[in-house]
C-alpha cells in the first residue's frame, strides 16, 4: 500500500483547500496560537482523553496526554487533545455499563465530525476500553489504544491487597466479626495507593490485555504499571506510531480478522480474565463484522490453559505479572495456540511483536504443563433457565459447587435482595441457590455488577464463604464465587429467570455446561401465561433510548443502530 500524500489526508478537506470554510478553520486554529507550520501537510491526530477529576484510574492522563503529544510532534503530526466521557467505574450509578455505548457513540462521532486523520485512544478503566475501541472500529480511522496501566500493589498489615477481591473478602470478614472496624479502616487506606486501574485481573486488565492481543495496542504496553516511567515513554511511542499509521493508512479494518478476535479471547481465557470480557469482545467483534458468539468463547476457553497466576483466580497481582514478562511473555508461552500472523498497530505481526519475550517468573506465568487449570477460566452454560446462554467464571468458584442442585431463594430485584438477605428468618441454607432478577441490560438497567450476591450474615457466621448464585447481571472481574451470570434472555423481557419461585430446585453442572430449572415444563408454561412485563422505567431521555436499543448479553449489549459495518458517509464541509 502506497503512503498517502498530504493532499490525501482526511484533514486536507478542512485545512488544505482554498475556500471560505477552510479560511475559517485556519484562522480559528491560529486563534489557538498555532502557526501554519504546526499543521500544514501533517496528519491531524485526535488524542481522545477520558481523564476526569472523578476517575482515579486515569489521574495521570493529563500528563500522559502531553507525552502522547510529544510523540506526535516528534513524528511530524499535529496533535489535538479532545475530552471524552471518563466512565469512572466506582462512581457512576447504577453502572458504567449503562454508558459504555454512549462513550462508543461519542468516540465515533467526535472522530467523524472533526478533522482527524488518526486517533490515540486513552482509556483503561473497565468500560472505557471496549467503548473507545467499539467507536473507533466503527469510524475506521487509523487508531492506537493507549492503556492506562494498573496501579501498584495494595498493602495493609503485612497483607498484599488486590483491588476488589480483597474488598469483598475483608467485607465478609467484617460482617462475620473476624476483623475489627479499625482493621477495615486500614484496608481502606492501603488498597488503592497510586493512580492506574485495578491491579487484579479484573475487567480493566483483562480488556487492555485483550486489546493488545487483538493488535490495537503496542506490544507489551498493557501491563506497564501506571506510575512507571516506562508508561510515559510508551505514551510517547503511541504518539510517534500513530503518525506513521496514518501515512500507511493502517485502519482497523485492514488489521483485524476473525483470527485477531480469537487471539483476544484466548488471551482473556489464559489470564483467567473477567466475564465482562465476553460481552465486550462480542460487541467489539460485531462492530468489526466478525461473528464472535458464546459458543466460540466456550470452545476457545476449553482449549486454552489458564496460566496467569493472578487474583482473583490465582495469587499474584498485575505488578508481579509485568515483572514476570507481562503479556508478551504470556503470549510467547501460549505460542501455537495463537495466530501469530495477525497484524498489529506496531506495523509488525503479533509473532514479530513478541519475538524474544521470556517468562522471568514461572510462579506468576505458569508453564503450560503446570497450568492453574487445563482450560480457561470461563464456561458458557445453557439450559431451560438460560436458553440463550449464561456464563460462569469457574476458575474463581468453589470446586465443590460446580455440580450442585439446591432450592432457589428468589429476590425480585436488588432492593428486595438488600432488604432481606440478612433477615434471620430467610429460608436459606448453604445448599440454597440465590437468585436475583431484574438485573439485566433493560431490567436494572445497564446490567450492573450485582452478580456476586452477598452471602447471608447468618451463613457467614457459620463459616460459609461461597454459594451458587444466579442472575441476569454481570460480576466485577475482581469478584469471585460460584456465580452464574448474564442469564439470557433477561427476566425483564420474560426470560425464564422471571418464572423461578423460591423453593424450586435449580441444577448447575459446569462440566456438562448446564443450568436448569428442575420444574415440569407444563408448570413453567403455566407461569409464563400468567407473567406480565414490568412497566417501562423511562418516559424520556437516554434511559428510554437505551431500553429501546440495547441487545441482550449474549449479543454483546450493543445498540441495534450501532452494530455492523454499514458505511456512514463523511460529513459535508460547507
Ligand atoms: Fe477503574 Fe477498577 S475502578 S479499573
Amino acid at each position: 500500500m502506497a503512503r498517502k500524500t498530504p493532499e490525501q489526508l482526511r484533514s486536507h478537506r478542512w485545512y488544505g483547500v482554498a475556500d471560505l470554510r477552510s479560511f475559517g478553520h485556519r484562522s480559528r486554529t491560529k486563534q489557538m496560537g498555532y502557526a501554519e507550520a504546526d499543521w500544514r501537510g501533517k496528519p491531524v491526530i485526535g488524542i481522545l482523553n477520558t481523564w476526569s477529576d472523578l476517575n482515579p484510574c486515569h489521574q495521570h492522563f493529563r500528563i500522559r496526554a502531553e507525552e502522547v503529544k510529544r510523540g506526535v510532534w516528534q513524528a511530524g503530526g499535529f496533535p489535538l487533545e479532545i475530552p471524552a466521557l471518563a466512565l469512572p467505574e466506582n462512581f457512576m450509578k447504577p453502572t458504567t455499563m449503562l454508558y459504555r455505548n454512549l462513550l462508543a457513540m461519542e468516540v465515533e462521532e467526535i472522530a467523524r465530525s472533526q478533522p482527524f486523520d488518526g486517533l490515540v485512544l486513552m482509556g483503561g478503566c473497565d468500560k472505557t476500553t471496549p467503548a473507545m475501541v467499539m467507536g473507533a472500529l466503527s469510524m475506521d480511522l487509523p487508531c492506537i489504544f493507549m492503556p492506562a496501566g494498573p496501579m501498584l500493589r495494595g498493602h495493609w498489615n503485612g497483607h498484599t491487597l488486590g483491588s476488589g477481591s480483597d474488598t469483598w473478602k475483608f467485607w465478609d470478614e467484617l460482617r462475620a466479626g473476624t476483623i475489627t472496624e479499625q482493621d477495615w479502616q486500614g484496608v481502606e487506606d492501603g488498597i488503592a495507593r497510586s493512580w492506574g486501574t485495578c491491579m487484579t485481573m479484573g475487567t480493566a486488565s483483562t480488556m487492555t490485555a485483550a486489546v493488545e492481543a487483538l493488535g490495537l495496542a503496542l506490544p507489551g504496553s498493557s501491563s506497564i504499571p501506571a506510575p512507571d516511567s516506562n508508561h510515559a515513554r510508551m505514551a510517547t511511542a503511541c504518539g510517534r506510531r500513530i503518525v506513521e499509521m496514518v501515512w500507511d493508512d493502517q485502519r482497523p479494518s485492514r488489521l483485524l480478522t476473525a483470527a485477531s478476535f480469537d487471539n483476544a479471547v484466548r488471551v482473556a481465557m489464559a489470564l483467567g480474565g473477567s466475564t465482562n470480557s465476553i460481552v465486550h469482545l462480542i460487541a467489539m467483534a460485531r462492530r468489526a463484522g466478525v461473528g464472535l458468539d458464546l459458543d466460540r468463547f466456550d470452545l476457545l476457553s476449553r482449549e486454552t490453559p489458564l496460566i496467569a497466576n493472578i487474583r482473583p483466580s490465582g495469587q499474584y497481582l498485575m505488578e508481579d505479572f509485568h515483572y514476570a514478562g507481562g503479556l508478551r511473555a504470556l503470549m510467547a508461552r501460549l505460542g501455537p495456540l495463537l495466530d501469530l500472523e495477525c497484524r498489529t498497530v506496531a506495523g509488525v505481526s503479533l509473532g514479530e511483536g513478541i519475538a524474544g519475550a521470556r517468562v522471568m517468573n514461572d510462579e506468576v506465568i505458569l508453564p503450560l504443563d503446570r497450568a492453574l487449570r487445563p482450560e480457561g477460566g470461563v464456561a458458557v452454560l445453557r439450559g431451560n433457565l438460560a436458553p440463550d446462554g449464561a456464563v460462569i467464571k469457574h476458575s474463581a468458584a468453589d470446586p465443590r459447587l460446580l455440580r450442585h442442585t439446591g432450592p432457589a431463594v428468589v429476590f425480585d430485584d436488588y432492593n428486595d435482595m438488600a432488604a432481606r438477605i440478612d433477615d434471620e428468618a430467610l429460608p436459606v441454607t448453604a445448599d440454597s441457590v440465590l437468585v436475583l432478577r431484574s438485573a439485566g441490560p433493560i431490567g436494572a438497567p445497564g446490567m450492573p455488577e450485582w452478580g456476586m450476591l452477598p452471602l447471608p450474615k447468618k451463613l457467614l457466621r457459620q463459616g460459609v464463604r461461597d454459594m451458587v448464585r444466579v442472575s441476569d447481571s454481570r460480576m466485577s472481574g475482581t469478584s469471585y464465587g460460584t456465580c452464574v451470570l448474564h442469564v439470557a434472555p433477561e427476566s425483564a423481557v420474560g426470560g425464564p429467570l422471571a418464572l423461578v419461585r423460591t423453593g424450586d430446585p435449580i441444577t448447575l453442572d459446569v462440566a456438562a455446561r448446564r443450568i436448569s430449572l428442575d420444574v415440569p415444563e407444563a408448570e413453567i408454561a403455566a407461569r409464563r401465561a400468567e407473567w406480565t412485563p414490568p412497566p417501562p422505567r423511562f418516559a424520556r431521555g437516554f434511559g428510554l433510548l437505551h431500553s429501546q436499543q440495547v441487545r441482550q448479553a449474549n449479543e454483546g449489549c450493543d445498540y441495534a443502530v450501532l452494530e455492523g459495518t454499514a458505511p456512514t458517509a463523511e460529513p459535508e464541509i460547507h
Side-chain angles (χ1 to χ4, degrees):
M1 174 83 200
R3 277 167 77 87
K4 281 188 172 177
T5 64
E7 292 71 31
Q8 290 172 325
L9 292 174
R10 184 172 179 267
S11 58
H12 183 76
R13 298 165 62 232
W14 273 263
Y15 281 114
V17 292
D19 64 9
L20 180 62
R21 276 295 152 223
S22 55
F23 164 86
H25 303 145
R26 288 191 297 266
S27 66
R28 289 298 178 155
T29 306
K30 287 176 177 175
Q31 183 184 6
M32 296 186 283
Y34 295 107
E36 194 158 340
D38 287 323
W39 76 77
R40 189 175 179 79
K42 296 180 176 183
V44 179
I45 305 300
I47 301 169
L48 270 55
N49 188 350
T50 50
W51 173 89
S52 105
D53 254 340
L54 207 54
N55 192 329
C57 311
H58 297 176
Q59 282 304 286
H60 51 321
F61 273 12
R62 275 182 158 171
I63 307 168
R64 290 292 178 270
E66 296 304 318
E67 287 150 352
V68 175
K69 286 180 197 172
R70 189 166 74 216
V72 174
W73 287 122
Q74 284 171 6
F78 178 38
L80 294 170
E81 180 184 347
I82 308 287
L85 191 62
L87 300 185
E89 187 63 27
N90 278 299
F91 291 97
M92 288 187 93
K93 307 298 174 193
T95 165
T96 50
M97 187 62 183
L98 183 59
Y99 300 103
R100 183 198 67 178
N101 298 343
L102 186 62
L103 174 57
M105 221 186 296
E106 187 188 14
V107 166
E108 182 178 350
E109 299 308 324
I110 281 174
R112 192 187 322 286
S113 59
Q114 298 176 89
F116 298 123
D117 298 301
L119 306 171
V120 176
L121 312 168
M122 298 179 62
C125 190
D126 290 20
K127 313 305 179 292
T128 57
T129 303
M132 297 187 96
V133 170
M134 287 162 69
L137 292 182
S138 292
M139 186 55 204
D140 200 28
L141 286 179
C143 66
I144 190 164
F145 183 77
M146 195 221 78
M151 68 174 96
L152 301 176
R153 300 181 193 97
H155 286 293
W156 167 69
N157 261 11
H159 294 272
T160 299
L161 299 178
S163 312
S165 305
D166 282 309
T167 308
W168 327 126
K169 180 179 145 191
F170 285 107
W171 177 241
D172 278 350
E173 297 305 332
L174 183 71
R175 294 172 73 227
T178 54
I179 64 167
T180 66
E181 284 289 346
Q182 199 182 0
D183 292 332
W184 180 237
Q185 182 67 49
V187 173
E188 182 176 309
D189 291 344
I191 200 164
R193 61 191 186 87
S194 81
W195 54 35
T197 54
C198 294
M199 75 323 230
T200 38
M201 188 47 70
T203 303
S205 289
T206 307
M207 288 311 301
T208 53
V211 167
E212 184 181 327
L214 195 59
L216 291 181
L218 289 179
S221 60
S222 62
S223 64
I224 304 172
D228 192 316
S229 65
N230 284 292
H231 196 272
R233 288 192 289 279
M234 179 272 291
T236 303
C238 288
R240 278 195 301 270
R241 179 65 201 146
I242 188 64
V243 176
E244 287 306 305
M245 288 178 68
V246 170
W247 289 126
D248 291 339
D249 201 19
Q250 290 190 358
R251 289 180 261 142
S253 59
R254 296 199 164 150
L255 296 175
L256 303 189
T257 62
S260 313
F261 280 94
D262 280 358
N263 285 341
V265 172
R266 283 197 193 273
V267 159
M269 297 300 108
L271 289 168
S274 161
T275 43
N276 286 325
S277 66
I278 300 176
V279 178
H280 298 322
L281 280 166
I282 287 175
M284 287 158 57
R286 289 162 79 110
R287 293 286 188 114
V290 170
L292 180 64
D293 61 15
L294 285 180
D295 291 336
R296 186 83 189 145
F297 256 96
D298 197 60
L299 178 77
L300 295 174
S301 181
R302 284 178 192 262
E303 294 174 356
T304 309
L306 198 176
I307 58 170
N309 189 8
I310 306 174
R311 300 183 206 181
S313 298
Q315 193 182 345
Y316 294 94
L317 295 173
M318 284 305 293
E319 210 180 330
D320 307 297
F321 179 64
H322 185 64
Y323 303 146
L327 194 66
R328 289 176 68 248
L330 179 128
M331 289 199 285
R333 192 151 266 184
L334 285 178
L337 287 173
L338 301 174
D339 184 335
L340 299 176
E341 296 302 314
C342 289
R343 304 307 299 172
T344 72
V345 289
V348 298
S349 68
L350 192 69
E352 289 165 330
I354 64 173
R358 281 187 301 130
V359 174
M360 304 296 170
N361 186 336
D362 279 337
E363 297 310 308
V364 179
I365 303 174
L366 300 162
L368 296 178
D369 61 359
R370 278 209 288 123
L372 220 51
R373 284 171 178 268
E375 60 177 69
V378 170
V380 174
L381 310 171
R382 291 187 195 273
N384 68 348
L385 194 49
D388 291 339
V391 304
I392 184 169
K393 187 173 186 173
H394 54 99
S395 61
D398 184 337
R400 277 183 320 108
L401 293 171
L402 296 179
R403 187 148 191 258
H404 178 84
T405 299
V409 175
V410 179
F411 302 102
D412 279 328
D413 57 30
Y414 185 87
N415 289 336
D416 180 34
M417 186 271 294
R420 293 196 294 128
I421 191 75
D422 288 333
D423 185 342
E424 295 290 327
L426 188 73
V428 66
T429 71
D431 288 333
S432 299
V433 174
L434 303 178
V435 173
L436 174 66
R437 57 187 168 217
S438 305
I442 294 172
M447 208 183 168
E449 294 180 338
W450 295 338
M452 189 177 78
L453 275 72
L455 303 184
K457 238 182 199 169
K458 65 179 179 184
L459 298 182
L460 283 170
R461 285 196 300 266
Q462 293 167 21
V464 176
R465 290 294 183 270
D466 196 5
M467 292 174 70
V468 177
R469 290 158 265 185
V470 181
S471 73
D472 44 13
S473 63
R474 295 174 300 114
M475 175 173 93
S476 163
T478 60
S479 298
Y480 51 85
T482 313
C483 304
V484 177
L485 311 159
H486 309 187
V487 169
E490 64 173 304
S491 58
V493 299
L497 203 60
L499 311 176
V500 184
R501 293 181 183 168
T502 291
D504 289 347
I506 289 178
T507 295
L508 168 67
D509 186 342
V510 174
R513 301 297 198 257
R514 194 163 69 87
I515 179 82
S516 60
L517 176 62
D518 302 334
V519 169
E521 281 304 319
E523 169 64 16
I524 294 175
R527 292 182 192 176
R528 182 175 303 288
E530 282 174 17
W531 183 80
T532 51
R537 299 175 65 99
F538 299 96
R540 61 166 299 283
F542 181 72
L544 180 61
L545 176 79
H546 173 88
S547 307
Q548 291 170 340
Q549 286 288 326
V550 72
R551 301 278 197 195
Q552 289 292 293
N554 57 307
E555 299 171 313
C557 295
D558 202 355
Y559 292 167
V561 291
L562 295 176
E563 287 185 321
T565 56
T568 304
E570 282 280 341
E572 299 291 337
I573 302 180
H574 298 302

